[in-house]
Amino acid sequence: MFNIYCPYCEEHREEEEFHPSGQAHLARPADADACTDKEWGDFLYFRKNPRGLHQELWQHTAGCRKFFNITRDTVSYQILETYKVGQSPQVKLPEVKLEEPRHG
Amino acid sequence: MVDLIQGRYVQKNRLPSGGRINRDKILTFRFDNRYYKGYEGDTIASALLANGVKVVGRSFKYSRPRGIMSAGVEEPNAILQVGSTEATQVPNVRATEQPLYDGLVCSTVNGWPHVNFDVMSLLGRIGGNMMGPGFYYKTFMFPAFMWETYEKFIRRAAGLGRAPKERDVDSYDHMHHHVDVMIVGAGAAGLSAALAAARTGVRVMIADERSEMGGGLLHSTTSIDKLPATQWVAKVCHELDGLDNVVRLSRSVVNGLHDHNFLTVNERRTHHLGDQAPEGVTRERIHKVRAHTVILATGAHERPLVFGNNDLPGCMQCSAVSEYIRRYAVVPGGSLVVMTTNDAGYQCAFDWHDVGREVVAIVDTRANADSDVIAQAKQREITLIKGSAVIEARGQGRVTKAMVASINADGSFVTGEPRTLICDTIASSGGWSPAVHLSCHTGSRPRWRDDILGFVPGETHEQVLSAGGVAGTQTLSACIQEGIKAGTEAAAKCSNSSVADAMSAPVVEDELHAPAMALYLVPHTKAPTRASKQFVDMQNDVTAAGLQVSTHEGFESIEHVKRYTAMGFGTDQGKTGNVNGMAIVAKTLGQSIAETGTTVFRPNYTPVTFGAVAGSHTGALFDPKRFTPMHRWHVEHGALFENVGQWKRPWYFPRQGESMQDTLNRECVATRTSVGILDASTLGKIDIQGDDAREFLGRVYTNAWAKLPPGRCRYGLMCGEDGMVMDDGVTSCLAENHFLMTTTTGGAAHVLNWLELYHQTEWPELDVYFTSVTDHWATMTIAGPNSRALLAKVCSDIDLDKDAFKFMDWRSGSVAGVPARVFRISFTGELSYEINVPAHYGLHVWEALFEQGKEFDLTAYGTESMHVLRAEKGFVIVGQDTDGSITPIDMDHAWAVANNKPFSYIGKRGMQREDCLRPNRKQLVGLETVDPAVVLPEGAQAVRNPEQSIPMTMVGHVTSSYYSANAGRSIAMGVIRDGINRHGESVFFPLADGRTIEARIRNTVWVDPDGERQKS
Ligand SMILES: [Zn+2]
C-alpha cells in the first residue's frame, strides 16, 4: 500500500484513492496520420518495464481527479518524487543498458 | 462418541502457588472428548500441561504423536480446532496463544480417528523411509487424473483444521490510524522504545500479540531499577496508559509491514471472553496503520536443537519450560534433562529445580564454558554434563529416556558411548533466532551474524529501526538501552527536532555470559538417514535426513529446498525450524549459512481469519449497490433485477403465470403496437462545457461534431487509439459551448476517465470541463406509436408536432409539472422520447406517466426486452456485439466515421493499420436461422463447412440472439469473416450437444427496414 503525495492536493493520501495509468511521458504523435505502422505500433504497444527507476502516470481518481507523474523504484517501491503533468522529473533515470539474457 | 468424563483429571502439574493466573476463577474446558479444568490467565496449552496432557496432535506426514513444544506464537505442534458450535469453528488456533475461557471446546486437527490411536501412524512407521522429501511430488502426482483421489486421502488422513459450515455469528471491523512511531512488540525493548518516544509527545502506537505486555519479562527472574521485572512492566504500561498520545494494543499481532510503513494489525478483541463475541463488540479488528517510523522490537524465538526423536511429546524449548513454570505455575513434567549450547538454556533448569522437581542433568554442548550460570548450577547441586549432547530421545508416545553422549568441539560427531538418563522432559536450546519476519515483508533480505548465530534485519529503504532481540541483542540491559535509543531517534525523525533524552536507562544487572556454541543438528552415532528421525520442521515433518537427501538430489538454492521439502510452509512458517534447516543445508553443501542465505518471509506473520480480512465489508456492505430513483416502483411491480456494474436494473416485469419468454413477448409487442417505458437512468451522462467543447468532441468521437446546432442530438462512436470501438452513445448540444454526452451504463466511469486523460495529458490547451451527472437525472424512455399522445398528456409547453420536434431533436420544458429535458432519440426504432428530470422527481414523473398511460396500456419493459427491441433494429451494444477487436468498419458503421475532419481523431490512425485494412476480418452481420423456431446460443462458433474434420476452421461467432415476437422468429447478430460481402451465404454452428444449426448471413435489421417509425 503506497502512500502517495498528490502534487495538486499537496498532501499524502492512501493508494486506494489513486489509479495507475501506466508509463508516463507518452506523447501522442503530433501528426498521427503521418506515422508509419511501425511508429504507430511503438506508440500504441511498446512500454518500458525497467528494474529500477520508472516514471509512471497516476490519477487521483477518488480525489482531485488530476493526472500526475511519479518516479518510482520498481524494486524497492520507493516513490522518489511526484510532479504535475507538464513538469519535468528532477530524478534522472539511469542510462538503459540492455543486458544479455542469462542462461543456465 | 466416547464418554465425556467430568472432572476425572486433576491439575497434577499445577504448582500450589505462583504464576500470573487467577486461582479464584476456575474454568472448565473440553479438549477432544474430555473435560478439564484450568484458571483464568491460562492458555489452552498451559491448562493442558497442568492437566498432564502430553499428546496434542499427530504429525502431518508420518502421523507421529506430538506435544506442546513452545509457549508462544512459534508453536508448531499444538494447532487446534476451537469452537463449541458449528458457526463458531476456528481452525488452526495455536493452543499457546489462545486464552482459556469457561466452556471452551477444542480438538486436535489431525490424528483421525483419535490422537492416541492413529491408523496413519502405521503407514508412517512402515512407510517411514519411503516418505522422503518430495514424497508428494514423486508419489501422488502421477497419473494426474488420480490427484483428486490422492488429495482427499491426504487431507482426510492428515487434516489441518476445517472451516465452519455455518455462517459466522460474529462481526468484524477495520480501523485506520496515522501515527508517528509504531512499535511492534512489547518486551523490554519495545516498552522502553514506546516510553522514550511517548514522552516526547509524538503519536505512538505499540502492539503486542500476547494478552499481557512484557514479553519475556513476564517470566523473568531479573529486576529492573530494583523492581521485579513484572512490576517494572506494570509501571511502564501505567504511564503509557496515562498519555493521550499513545495507543496500546494487546492481543494484537502485527501481521504485515507493507510498503511505505503501512502495517496491518490483527486485534483479537474477544477471543479470551468466549466462543462468541459479546453483543455489540466486534470479535476481531484489523488496524491499518500508516506510521512515519516503525520500530521492530519483535524479539527472538528460541531454537530447539535437532536430535533423534526430538518430536516426542516432552521435548520442549528451554524458555517455554521457564514460561510455563513462572507465568502459569505449571511444571510440564516430573524429571528434566536440559540440553543447551548457551547460558540462557540454564534458566529453565533453575526454575524447575527451584519449585522442587527433579533436574536430572544439564547437558552443555560446550566443553569449557565459564560463566555465572555454571556457578549457579553448581550451587544448586545440579548435575552438569559438559561437552555432551542429548543425541536421541526415547519413549513410546512420550519421552521416557534421553540418550546422552560426549561430542567433539564443533559438534560434528559423537566421541563417546551413549548413556541413558531417565526423564520425562527434555528441554533444549540452540540459541535464539531474531524474529526478522516483518523486516522481510518489503523485500529486505536478512543478514547472518556469526557472533550471535542468527539472522538480523537487513538493509531497508523504509523508516524502520530495530531494537532488542530482533537486532541480535541478547542482554536485558542492552535491549532496554536500544529501545530507549530507537524510541528517541524515531521521535526526533518525526518531530524534526532533536529531542533531549526523555528517558534514562534503568539499572539492570547483567550476568557474565560465555559465548554460545554454533550447533544446530546434534550428531548421532549413525548418519541422519539411518538414525531415528531428527526433525527440523515439526509441522511439515521435515527431517535433517530429508534436507540432506534433497541437496544430494540437486536442490542447492535454499528457496528450492524449501519448496521441495515444504520446510517452513506450515501455519507456523518455520519460526523454530528455518534456521536449523538452513544450517543443515549449508553444512551439507560445505558452505556457510551466510552463503546459503535464508528464505524470505512474507505477510502474514500468523494466520488471519477471513472474518478479520473482510471486516464489515460483507453482505450489503460488500459492494455498493446503485438504485435508480424509480427502484421502489419496480420492486412493487414485481420486477426481476439484473446487475449492470453496481446498478440494479429491472430485467423484466413478469406477470402471474408468465414464463420469461411470455413476458418478453408481451413487453416487446406492447412497445411496438402502443407504448412501452424503460428506466434508462443508469446510462452514463457527462456534462461537457467550455469554449473548446465542440473541438474536443470532434477529437474523441469518430464522427463529425462541428455543425451540430443547439437543440440537436447525434449518435457518437468512440474508439481507442488502436481503432477499436470503445463506447458509444448520443451526445446532445445544449448550447453552443455546452453538451451532454451519454455513455453505456458500464462504460460511464471509464469514458469520463478517458476524456480527462486526453484533456490533461495531451490537449491541456483546450478549454473544456467534464462533470459526471449520471446520478443527477432520472431518465425514462417512452417508445412506441402512442408515445407522442402519452407525452402530450403530461407536457403542455413543448410543441410536439412531428415537424417542430423532429427525430434527433431535444427540447426543454416541463413534464408532469417538473422541469425536464426531452430527447427525441430511439433505441427501439419506434417513435420515442427520452424524458430526463432531476433525479428526485423521477418517481413522480414515472407514476404520472402510468396514471396518464392507462388508456394506452403503458407497459414497463426491462433490459431484456430492451435488448430484443434494439436487436430487431440491428442496433449494437458495445461490449456485447463488440469485443475490443472490432473497428467501426467491421461493425458496418462506416457512416459514423468522418475521415475528412481536420484533426486526426482518436482511432483514425489505428483504423488505418495494415491489420485493420486486410480483407477477411470478422464483420457484424445478421444471422437468420433456417429453422425460424431455433434460437442460436450466444457465443456459438460459426464454420463454413460443417463436414470438415475437427478441429474445424472457425469463421466467427454469435454475439446477440433472441426470439423476437415482433419478427415472429428467432433473430441474431454475429461477427463473421468477410461477412458484409457474404450476405445470403450459409454458415453453420456445430454445438456441443451434437446439433448443427444452419443460418444465412443477412443485414441486421428485422423490423421497419426503412426506419420510418422513429421519424413518424
Ligand atoms: Zn489530488
Side-chain angles (χ1 to χ4, degrees):
Chain A
M1 283 287 291
F2 296 163
N3 196 22
I4 300 173
Y5 182 83
C6 173
Y8 293 94
C9 296
E10 300 187 336
E11 60 181 10
H12 280 90
R13 306 293 299 178
E14 293 294 326
E15 185 181 327
E16 286 161 327
E17 293 185 8
F18 298 88
H19 193 77
S21 293
Q23 184 180 327
H25 306 301
L26 286 174
R28 188 175 196 261
D31 189 355
D33 292 343
C35 287
T36 64
D37 268 11
K38 182 176 182 311
E39 285 164 347
W40 196 253
D42 287 347
F43 163 66
L44 268 185
Y45 298 119
F46 284 80
R47 297 293 180 267
K48 293 173 185 165
N49 183 23
R51 177 183 166 83
L53 296 184
H54 189 220
Q55 283 153 350
E56 300 169 343
L57 184 67
W58 287 66
Q59 188 186 17
H60 196 180
T61 38
C64 63
R65 294 203 61 86
K66 288 286 193 183
F67 284 86
F68 62 95
N69 302 307
I70 288 181
T71 304
R72 188 173 70 90
D73 189 321
T74 62
V75 178
S76 71
Y77 287 12
Q78 295 301 288
I79 293 172
L80 283 81
E81 62 179 337
T82 62
Y83 53 100
K84 295 177 182 175
V85 165
Q87 293 180 340
S88 297
Q90 297 304 302
V91 178
K92 291 280 168 275
L93 301 194
E95 292 282 310
V96 179
K97 269 197 319 231
L98 287 179
E99 281 181 34
E100 286 291 311
R102 281 194 299 184
H103 298 284
Chain B
M1 182 69 85
V2 178
D3 287 341
L4 303 174
I5 305 155
Q6 181 100 26
R8 173 167 155 183
Y9 284 75
V10 290
Q11 297 186 41
K12 64 177 187 178
N13 285 333
R14 184 81 70 178
L15 294 166
S17 65
R20 303 177 67 76
I21 48 169
N22 178 9
R23 290 169 197 263
D24 295 334
K25 191 112 185 248
I26 299 169
L27 308 174
T28 304
F29 70 105
R30 191 175 128 193
F31 168 64
D32 282 344
N33 291 314
R34 291 213 165 91
Y35 284 100
Y36 300 92
K37 290 193 191 304
Y39 295 120
E40 189 179 70
D42 265 327
T43 61
I44 299 177
S46 67
L48 287 173
L49 288 171
N51 284 280
V53 175
K54 286 272 185 185
V55 180
V56 294
R58 291 269 171 179
S59 77
F60 182 67
K61 196 157 94 177
Y62 302 120
S63 199
R64 290 164 67 108
R66 292 282 164 79
I68 295 161
M69 200 186 86
S70 78
V73 66
E74 66 270 47
E75 176 60 34
N77 295 336
I79 308 297
L80 304 180
Q81 181 88 16
V82 175
S84 63
T85 65
E86 186 53 40
T88 56
Q89 292 296 309
V90 184
N92 299 332
V93 174
R94 289 172 300 285
T96 50
E97 290 208 309
Q98 171 63 52
L100 199 62
Y101 54 79
D102 202 42
L104 183 144
V105 175
C106 59
S107 56
T108 48
V109 292
N110 34 24
W112 168 77
H114 189 264
V115 296
N116 289 321
F117 174 78
D118 192 307
V119 289
M120 274 296 284
S121 66
L122 196 64
L123 177 62
R125 228 174 283 153
I126 296 166
N129 288 329
M130 286 148 52
M131 295 172 83
F135 170 73
Y136 294 111
Y137 298 111
K138 292 168 184 167
T139 312
F140 288 124
M141 290 314 286
F142 304 101
F145 69 87
M146 281 296 285
W147 171 247
E148 283 185 31
T149 311
Y150 293 145
E151 195 190 15
K152 267 182 218 135
F153 168 73
I154 293 167
R155 294 219 179 273
R156 174 110 172 95
L160 272 177
R162 62 180 187 84
K165 295 192 190 84
E166 288 174 15
R167 192 186 167 84
D168 194 337
V169 288
D170 288 316
S171 59
Y172 303 80
D173 64 2
H174 295 168
M175 192 176 271
H176 293 259
H177 305 264
H178 293 263
V179 302
D180 294 312
V181 182
M182 172 77 196
I183 295 130
V184 186
L191 286 172
S192 305
L195 201 54
R199 282 180 180 173
T200 69
V202 300
R203 292 171 302 169
V204 172
M205 178 181 272
I206 179 166
D208 189 271
E209 64 198 355
R210 303 298 293 268
S211 56
E212 275 187 282
M213 291 199 166
L217 295 178
L218 295 177
H219 59 267
S220 163
T221 55
T222 42
S223 58
I224 304 173
D225 267 350
K226 302 203 173 73
L227 289 175
T230 51
Q231 284 186 29
W232 183 82
V233 169
K235 200 171 135 235
V236 173
C237 290
H238 181 75
E239 182 176 343
L240 291 173
D241 289 345
L243 296 169
D244 58 12
N245 57 324
V246 177
V247 178
R248 194 167 73 83
L249 294 176
S250 291
R251 310 178 200 285
S252 300
V253 55
V254 180
N255 266 320
L257 170 53
H258 308 272
D259 298 309
H260 306 178
N261 281 356
F262 181 76
L263 300 102
T264 42
V265 186
N266 185 199
E267 182 186 8
R268 294 184 294 265
R269 308 181 71 208
T270 71
H271 281 45
H272 56 299
L273 300 176
D275 213 27
Q276 206 175 319
E279 189 70 26
V281 180
T282 53
R283 183 178 177 86
E284 295 182 41
R285 171 173 290 163
I286 300 241
H287 297 271
K288 300 182 172 184
V289 184
R290 183 72 71 177
H292 182 284
T293 303
V294 173
I295 298 174
L296 296 180
T298 48
H301 297 137
E302 191 171 33
R303 254 185 335 259
L305 286 159
V306 180
F307 54 97
N309 294 330
N310 59 335
D311 65 327
L312 270 181
C315 292
M316 299 180 76
Q317 291 166 317
C318 288
S319 58
V321 169
S322 284
E323 186 167 347
Y324 284 115
I325 295 173
R326 298 189 57 88
R327 182 166 173 182
Y328 302 104
V330 172
V331 195
S335 50
L336 174 73
V337 167
V338 172
M339 165 166 57
T340 182
T341 63
N342 60 81
D343 288 0
Y346 281 64
Q347 184 59 46
C348 72
F350 302 160
D351 292 331
W352 189 285
H353 174 90
D354 294 351
V355 298
R357 295 215 181 174
E358 183 195 3
V359 176
V360 178
I362 297 175
V363 182
D364 194 326
T365 59
R366 301 168 296 184
N368 299 307
D370 182 22
S371 59
D372 289 352
V373 289
I374 290 171
Q376 289 174 30
K378 282 179 179 157
Q379 237 172 35
R380 287 179 170 89
E381 297 181 338
I382 296 173
T383 308
L384 187 58
I385 306 173
K386 290 185 175 187
S388 297
V390 176
I391 63 166
E392 184 177 325
R394 291 210 174 147
Q396 285 295 323
R398 59 212 61 197
V399 171
T400 53
K401 289 173 204 159
M403 307 299 292
V404 176
S406 56
I407 58 174
N408 70 330
D410 72 356
S412 55
F413 54 88
V414 172
T415 56
E417 271 303 305
R419 58 175 162 143
T420 306
L421 300 179
I422 305 294
C423 62
D424 64 8
T425 306
I426 300 172
S428 73
S429 176
W432 292 78
S433 298
V436 296
H437 304 69
L438 290 172
S439 79
C440 299
H441 287 181
T442 56
S444 168
R445 288 249 160 201
R447 181 170 57 85
W448 178 258
R449 266 176 61 185
D450 272 325
D451 59 333
I452 62 137
L453 304 174
F455 285 100
V456 294
E459 294 285 308
T460 175
H461 301 270
E462 308 283 358
Q463 295 286 349
V464 177
L465 307 171
S466 309
V470 68
T473 308
Q474 291 173 338
T475 66
L476 180 57
S477 61
C479 285
I480 291 174
Q481 279 162 17
E482 277 185 19
I484 293 170
K485 183 166 170 285
T488 310
E489 196 181 319
K493 278 173 191 263
C494 308
S495 55
N496 271 332
S497 62
S498 63
V499 182
D501 284 357
M503 190 173 159
S504 56
V507 180
V508 181
E509 280 180 26
D510 288 323
E511 291 167 340
L512 171 66
H513 276 269
M517 173 177 171
L519 185 64
Y520 310 92
L521 171 61
V522 175
H524 197 277
T525 51
K526 299 175 186 162
T529 46
R530 301 191 157 270
S532 49
K533 287 191 169 56
Q534 300 156 319
F535 285 91
V536 175
D537 179 329
M538 304 273 175
Q539 217 177 78
N540 281 309
D541 272 354
V542 178
T543 62
L547 291 171
Q548 291 184 351
V549 168
S550 57
T551 54
H552 292 145
E553 289 184 6
F555 295 90
E556 297 185 349
S557 154
I558 193 69
E559 293 284 1
H560 290 161
V561 172
K562 170 179 172 170
R563 278 150 188 84
Y564 193 54
T565 62
M567 179 178 76
F569 267 110
T571 59
D572 68 330
Q573 291 281 291
K575 289 183 177 68
T576 53
N578 260 16
V579 170
N580 283 331
M582 288 151 202
I584 290 165
V585 170
K587 196 166 181 181
T588 313
L589 295 171
Q591 61 192 27
S592 69
I593 296 176
E595 285 167 323
T596 306
T598 174
T599 55
V600 167
F601 301 101
R602 293 186 180 81
N604 286 315
Y605 178 61
T606 57
V608 186
T609 61
F610 281 110
V613 172
S616 55
H617 303 286
T618 60
L621 297 179
F622 178 65
D623 195 35
K625 291 186 182 73
R626 299 175 80 181
F627 304 103
T628 75
M630 289 80 91
H631 188 76
R632 197 185 76 208
W633 190 95
H634 305 326
V635 172
E636 286 168 1
H637 289 78
L640 297 180
F641 290 90
E642 177 182 33
N643 294 330
V644 182
Q646 291 167 334
W647 288 105
K648 301 284 165 190
R649 295 196 71 178
W651 188 19
Y652 59 104
F653 292 85
R655 288 185 184 159
Q656 194 83 43
E658 280 183 342
S659 69
M660 181 176 179
Q661 191 60 54
D662 292 341
T663 306
L664 301 182
N665 292 350
R666 175 176 54 75
E667 291 176 2
C668 290
V669 170
T671 301
R672 293 222 187 275
T673 55
S674 180
V675 56
I677 184 165
L678 172 78
D679 181 351
S681 304
T682 63
L683 278 186
K685 295 180 271 294
I686 300 170
D687 188 275
I688 303 176
Q689 302 191 36
D691 287 349
D692 297 313
R694 188 181 292 277
E695 168 65 20
F696 192 90
L697 288 176
R699 295 184 183 189
V700 295
Y701 274 133
T702 60
N703 46 337
W705 295 85
K707 290 181 186 138
L708 186 73
R712 290 289 286 165
C713 315
R714 183 166 289 169
Y715 173 81
L717 199 55
M718 213 177 267
C719 285
E721 290 282 18
D722 56 2
M724 303 304 161
V725 174
M726 189 179 90
D727 205 85
D728 69 349
V730 169
T731 289
S732 307
C733 183
L734 301 183
E736 183 49 35
N737 296 326
H738 190 184
F739 295 82
L740 181 72
M741 174 185 281
T742 62
T743 72
T744 57
T745 298
H750 174 63
V751 169
L752 177 64
N753 229 301
W754 180 251
L755 303 179
E756 289 172 331
L757 173 69
Y758 273 83
H759 177 230
Q760 292 179 32
T761 64
E762 291 295 341
W763 311 314
E765 69 281 5
L766 295 187
D767 177 50
V768 60
Y769 303 87
F770 313 98
T771 309
S772 169
V773 294
T774 303
D775 297 273
H776 304 41
W777 298 91
T779 306
M780 48 212 96
T781 305
I782 53 173
N786 285 324
S787 56
R788 180 181 288 118
L790 171 59
L791 182 57
K793 292 180 75 179
V794 290
C795 173
S796 53
D797 55 0
I798 299 175
D799 183 354
L800 299 180
D801 182 82
K802 73 184 176 75
D803 296 319
F805 189 1
K806 294 196 286 290
F807 179 56
M808 299 306 275
D809 279 350
W810 80 271
R811 296 290 179 265
S812 75
S814 59
V815 173
V818 306
R821 288 171 180 166
V822 182
F823 300 82
R824 199 182 150 186
I825 57 181
S826 180
F827 198 43
T828 56
E830 294 297 323
L831 170 66
S832 173
Y833 298 91
E834 199 180 281
I835 303 163
N836 280 252
V837 296
H840 51 287
Y841 290 130
L843 187 58
H844 157 74
V845 175
W846 182 272
E847 284 176 335
L849 285 165
F850 269 91
E851 186 58 36
Q852 298 300 322
K854 279 178 190 156
E855 63 176 287
F856 309 111
D857 189 24
L858 176 63
T859 301
Y861 65 93
T863 51
E864 194 63 25
S865 288
M866 176 193 81
H867 276 93
V868 177
L869 290 164
R870 63 91 201 179
E872 288 170 352
K873 288 294 298 174
F875 296 148
V876 298
I877 290 185
V878 171
Q880 172 161 348
D881 300 302
T882 69
D883 60 3
S885 70
I886 301 286
T887 68
I889 309 300
D890 298 335
M891 209 169 77
D892 209 2
H893 274 47
W895 54 270
V897 174
N899 277 343
N900 51 353
K901 288 196 283 187
F903 191 88
S904 183
Y905 62 85
I906 299 173
K908 183 184 180 192
R909 179 63 188 83
M911 272 184 251
Q912 304 304 320
R913 289 178 299 145
E914 189 184 340
D915 189 62
C916 296
L917 298 175
R918 69 171 163 79
N920 213 26
R921 285 182 64 85
K922 287 183 184 172
Q923 296 168 324
L924 192 76
V925 292
L927 295 165
E928 183 174 326
T929 52
V930 172
D931 178 349
V934 173
V935 179
L936 282 164
E938 286 175 357
Q941 295 289 325
V943 300
R944 298 211 199 279
N945 169 17
E947 306 301 329
Q948 63 187 300
S949 58
I950 295 171
M952 299 187 186
T953 303
M954 293 177 284
V955 296
H957 62 272
V958 178
T959 60
S960 294
S961 179
Y962 313 93
Y963 179 78
S964 162
N966 288 308
R969 56 159 299 127
S970 72
I971 62 172
M973 272 192 266
V975 288
I976 301 292
R977 288 201 183 282
D978 196 29
I980 293 170
N981 297 321
R982 290 172 178 259
H983 286 194
E985 290 184 16
S986 275
V987 281
F988 298 85
F989 296 89
L991 303 183
D993 62 11
R995 286 183 299 156
T996 295
I997 299 173
E998 180 182 359
R1000 264 187 290 277
I1001 300 171
R1002 51 163 287 168
N1003 68 47
T1004 54
V1005 186
W1006 304 79
V1007 167
D1008 185 25
D1010 297 327
E1012 297 299 331
R1013 295 186 189 179
Q1014 62 191 11
K1015 295 178 187 159
S1016 64

